[in-house]
Amino acid sequence: QVQLVESGGGLVQVGGSLRLSCAASGRAFSSYVMAWFRQAPGKEREFVAAMPWSSIYYADSVKGRFTISRDNAKNTVYLQMNSLKPEDTAVYYCAASQRAGNYYRVPAYPYWGQGTQVTVSS
């Protein structure tokens, strides 16, 4: 089992940048598929990015602006967010799974962090 704690959210102006971090506790962090999702008020939780081991997947809405990375030695996954837009405003969640496949789907991930708020002001 793994526990996840996100940090790094905050208030930023349009065009600005933020880097989110997700620290994982537990063993065998390198064996987990790690992902980021987000949920805006009144909307369903949506996929942002996933890093199943050596592959990387992004939602079309963030491709070219966001970068997911991981440091297995630090048990941490990151989300670098550049060129932020008001529509990026949401609570961002880190998620983990030990199974391959369905990287875009919320039910594929049994482990979730508590979320960190990102607000982009215009």
Side-chain angles (χ1 to χ4, degrees):
Q1 198 166 5
V2 64
Q3 292 182 329
L4 306 172
V5 179
E6 302 97 334
S7 61
L11 175 65
V12 63
Q13 293 187 331
V14 169
S17 298
L18 280 175
R19 188 176 83 154
L20 306 182
S21 299
C22 173
S25 63
R27 298 184 298 174
F29 172 77
S30 61
S31 70
Y32 285 85
V33 175
M34 300 301 299
W36 289 95
F37 287 74
R38 66 186 181 186
Q39 188 166 17
K43 295 188 176 181
E44 292 187 351
R45 193 167 299 189
E46 66 174 8
F47 170 77
V48 174
M51 195 165 188
W53 306 291
S54 59
S55 302
I56 294 178
Y57 301 91
Y58 293 104
D60 288 343
S61 58
V62 306
K63 205 172 291 184
R65 300 188 298 122
F66 290 12
T67 303
I68 186 172
S69 62
R70 65 193 295 166
D71 186 336
N72 290 333
K74 295 183 178 180
N75 282 14
T76 301
V77 63
Y78 303 98
L79 185 67
Q80 177 67 44
M81 306 186 296
N82 299 328
S83 302
L84 283 161
K85 306 175 181 181
E87 52 264 42
D88 295 318
T89 295
V91 177
Y92 282 71
Y93 296 91
C94 176
S97 173
Q98 288 185 297
R99 294 188 175 186
N102 297 319
Y103 304 124
Y104 305 92
R105 298 184 67 242
V106 169
Y109 297 88
Y111 306 111
W112 292 85
Q114 83 289 349
T116 185
Q117 176 71 47
V118 172
T119 303
V120 184
S121 65
S122 56

